[in-house]
Amino acid sequence: MTSPKKDPQLATPAGELTGPRIAGMNFRRLPPLEDERGDITELFHPAWNFSAAPLVQVYRTALRPGAIRGWVIHQKQEDRIAVTDGAMTWALFDNRPDSPTYTLLNVLTFSERSRTLFNIPIGVFHAVKNIGTIDAAFINMPTRPYDHADPDKYRLPLKNDLIPFDFSQPSRG
């Protein structure tokens, strides 16, 4: 007979995620300020001390339902992502041999109900899937402007021998 398996703790009573996180990643919830007209959400503010790098470029990326972007890694820039619309699962894989979290995989889900700003350090592979039924969107504020002549983007196919994650499989039991 199979015994039931106890769920691990996923969050603190204050709502902070538990479990090991990739070294160098920061997270900040972005609560909307609502009134009868709608809402406004601050995405980045220097007073937060979230990142010392200046804002040099800002762009929005949309994903249609079921769409996946990734695996991508950067060698010169850090991404600063603000999840704004829809529901998406992000998978991040630490590929930095000198990192204390080398080969750690983080799988995180965000939506407009849990708007979040987070960074993706240099050397961390990342991919994102829209898991909702409407378009999903995020804002990227990378630490370096995009170089059209020499992009700082290196890619792996979605299914590869390095990263132990498959978007077609559920991330939790």
Side-chain angles (χ1 to χ4, degrees):
M1 182 166 107
T2 304
S3 297
K5 182 178 175 187
K6 184 179 185 313
D7 278 352
Q9 179 182 3
L10 300 176
T12 67
E16 299 298 320
L17 297 174
T18 61
R21 294 286 171 249
I22 291 174
M25 288 192 72
N26 300 305
F27 298 87
R28 180 182 175 86
R29 294 286 184 187
L30 303 172
L33 303 170
E34 298 184 62
D35 66 20
E36 68 280 357
R37 300 166 294 169
D39 69 68
I40 185 170
T41 302
E42 285 186 278
L43 301 180
F44 189 89
H45 196 290
W48 298 343
N49 294 318
F50 185 84
S51 173
L55 283 177
V56 295
Q57 183 179 19
V58 178
Y59 64 89
R60 177 181 180 270
T61 300
L63 292 101
R64 290 191 171 48
I68 302 171
R69 291 182 176 266
W71 294 101
V72 174
I73 194 169
H74 304 293
Q75 295 180 354
K76 299 176 185 174
Q77 79 178 46
E78 183 171 290
D79 284 337
R80 296 176 289 201
I81 305 291
V83 172
T84 59
D85 298 291
M88 57 192 89
T89 294
W90 286 81
L92 305 113
F93 180 78
D94 192 346
N95 197 49
R96 304 168 294 171
D98 297 337
S99 170
T101 55
Y102 178 56
T103 72
L104 181 64
L105 174 72
N106 284 168
V107 179
L108 306 165
T109 299
F110 303 108
S111 75
E112 71 275 355
R113 292 181 311 219
S114 62
R115 291 179 180 147
T116 302
L117 172 66
F118 64 96
N119 67 305
I120 303 172
I122 293 168
V124 173
F125 274 103
H126 47 288
V128 58
K129 179 179 183 180
N130 179 343
I131 59 169
T133 58
I134 62 169
D135 284 3
F138 62 89
I139 307 296
N140 191 0
M141 299 164 275
T143 56
R144 292 173 52 102
Y146 185 78
D147 184 344
H148 292 84
D150 185 20
D152 180 31
K153 285 193 175 195
Y154 301 85
R155 296 182 183 275
L156 281 176
L158 285 177
K159 294 188 180 186
N160 61 74
D161 294 334
L162 178 65
I163 302 169
F165 185 76
D166 183 349
F167 276 103
S168 66
Q169 301 298 314
S171 59
R172 286 202 180 97

